[in-house]
Each structure stands twice: as C-alpha cells, then as structure tokens.
Amino acid sequence: MNEERITEGSSWIDPRGQVMKTPDDVAEMLRLRACGWGLKRIARQLGCSHHTVKDYVTAGGVKPFKSPERAKRLHGLEG
C-alpha cells in the first residue's frame, strides 16, 4: 500500500497557530472521498486529522475562516 501524494500543497499557518488546508488539499479530499476512500484513510494520506477531513467534506469544499465570537471585556458596562 505504497501510495504517493497526488498533489503537493503546503498548509497555511495563521498568527494564532491554527493550520488551514489549501484549496488544492480540500479539492483532493473531496475527490478521494468521491472515489470511495474513508475519512481516516484520506487524513493519513494528507497528514491531517480525520476531524479536519470530515469538516471539509461536510462543508463540500473550502470553508471561510470564522473567528470565535466572544463577549467583549466591558460588555454590559456601557452605562
């Protein structure tokens, strides 16, 4: 089972340390899933978590980065 990676793409790292997959990686995830590959097998092939693969496959492609919504420090003290 010696398979080579189909496309070469580098991951992008944002200032918070979170890693996003490139659009090429996401397209490869979707293509491999359409070929019948399982989530864990795709994750091993691309070197990421199967949870990451599941998120992108569920979204059907590249999903926009969404920062967490948190309450501001002075929220509720406007008056």
Side-chain angles (χ1 to χ4, degrees):
M1 203 162 130
N2 187 7
E3 299 162 338
E4 62 183 49
R5 189 161 174 196
I6 297 166
T7 59
E8 290 298 322
S10 60
S11 297
W12 176 80
I13 301 175
D14 78 349
R16 294 183 185 129
Q18 298 172 337
V19 177
M20 291 180 61
K21 298 307 244 178
T22 63
D24 291 337
D25 289 337
V26 176
E28 186 174 354
M29 286 178 196
L30 297 175
R31 190 181 63 73
L32 292 174
R33 185 66 177 164
C35 290
W37 285 34
L39 298 177
K40 290 182 181 180
R41 184 177 177 191
I42 296 170
R44 278 193 308 268
Q45 182 73 20
L46 298 177
C48 62
S49 170
H50 67 277
H51 296 290
T52 302
V53 175
K54 180 180 177 184
D55 288 343
Y56 282 115
V57 168
T58 302
V62 178
K63 56 184 181 176
F65 181 77
K66 180 181 173 189
S67 28
E69 296 180 16
R70 297 185 182 116
K72 305 296 181 199
R73 285 185 179 189
L74 299 177
H75 181 71
L77 300 174
E78 290 86 11

